[in-house]
Amino acid sequence: RVVVMASLFQGENLQKSGLAMLVMVLSYVSMLNRTEPAVADGFTMDPATGIKFANSVRVDNKKLELQGVGVRTKVVVNVYSAGFYAEQGPIDRATKPYAGKPGAKLAGDAGFFKAIQALGSAKAVLLTFARAVGADKVAEALSAVPGANAKSQQELHKCITRNGDLSKGDQLLFSWSKATDSVAVKSKSETLCTIKDADLAKGLLSMYLGGNAVSPKLKAAIASTIANRMSVAPS
């Protein structure tokens, strides 16, 4: 009788553990199938990589709010996730003329993103790497800004490679001044460089918000976030 009771008890535990495992698997599959960034507990997760971004950060004593996250994919490999941050008031005012348009349409609206790029306020792009990447490869890709002079491109390349290759979880933060005439690069709270070149600064920002952006997912997320916010804003 004791043996039978023990067997039943063991069987019940196995059923419970099996159910718990099933719930975990279903949750994981749900996360993989998710196309919209998931927001919870002050963070937003990129569904493509599982990388989380704080919903607000402080850059140069300015509070910047997360406007969207998206993956940068090279062929079929997820290289990094990018989060775009901006001061809430200025970006809301700049995009107000686009109120009423759905995010899907805003994602392809060049005027909408030009208004964001022209913001006369602080903004930033945070990259969090999903895998180990050679610093030279990253520097070559990011410093190839059309229209920027060679000296500034070389300076940016040197800046990005300063701390060597990038590991999974490493971050690079690019922040722009109010006039978008300079760009600062930070890693682990250390300012690696500040480059005062308007063509380089604007061109680098355009890599993420322009017509040939390296992460269409990021632009789609920004458009969706702002469209949703405008749809619930008081008139």
Side-chain angles (χ1 to χ4, degrees):
R1 188 178 299 174
V2 173
V3 173
V4 171
M5 290 298 293
S7 298
L8 289 173
F9 182 71
Q10 185 179 28
E12 185 179 354
N13 282 344
L14 286 172
Q15 284 184 332
K16 287 181 178 179
S17 62
L19 181 59
M21 181 63 71
L22 178 61
V23 170
M24 289 175 63
V25 170
L26 290 175
S27 297
Y28 182 69
V29 170
S30 176
M31 183 193 79
L32 292 178
N33 290 334
R34 186 188 293 272
T35 57
E36 292 286 327
V39 182
D41 300 325
F43 290 89
T44 297
M45 185 187 72
D46 182 350
T49 62
I51 293 172
K52 293 181 179 181
F53 290 81
N55 290 336
S56 65
V57 296
R58 294 199 72 84
V59 178
D60 298 328
N61 295 320
K62 296 284 187 181
K63 184 180 180 182
L64 307 184
E65 302 288 346
L66 184 64
Q67 306 298 320
V69 303
V71 67
R72 165 61 165 134
T73 302
K74 194 73 173 177
V75 189
V76 295
V77 176
N78 293 336
V79 182
Y80 60 76
S81 290
F84 176 66
Y85 291 85
E87 291 184 71
Q88 199 69 66
I91 197 170
D92 283 348
R93 289 190 290 274
T95 56
K96 190 174 181 180
Y98 298 89
K101 285 190 176 182
K105 286 192 175 181
L106 289 179
D109 192 321
F112 172 75
F113 283 99
K114 283 181 180 178
I116 296 175
Q117 290 179 76
L119 281 173
S121 57
K123 43 206 168 285
V125 169
L126 177 63
L127 311 183
T128 302
F129 287 83
R131 63 191 298 270
V133 187
D136 272 323
K137 287 186 177 181
V138 176
E140 285 172 12
L142 294 178
S143 61
V145 177
N149 69 59
K151 184 179 178 180
S152 294
Q153 290 176 324
Q154 290 169 5
E155 188 177 351
L156 181 59
H157 189 288
K158 183 179 179 180
C159 177
I160 293 171
T161 58
R162 176 175 162 181
N163 289 338
D165 291 342
L166 295 148
S167 300
K168 182 178 180 180
D170 280 353
Q171 296 181 321
L172 286 174
L173 175 73
F174 298 90
S175 60
W176 287 264
S177 63
K178 290 183 178 181
T180 319
D181 59 358
S182 67
V183 60
V185 185
K186 295 183 180 181
S187 177
K188 299 176 182 177
S189 301
E190 174 191 8
T191 300
L192 302 178
C193 65
T194 299
I195 303 173
K196 295 182 179 180
D197 182 323
D199 290 331
L200 180 79
K202 291 176 182 177
L204 188 58
L205 183 60
S206 184
M207 277 190 177
Y208 294 96
L209 302 182
N212 296 314
V214 298
S215 175
K217 293 279 189 181
L218 175 61
K219 289 183 66 177
I222 294 169
S224 176
T225 296
I226 294 176
N228 290 341
R229 190 163 64 237
M230 288 193 293
S231 70
V232 298
S235 57

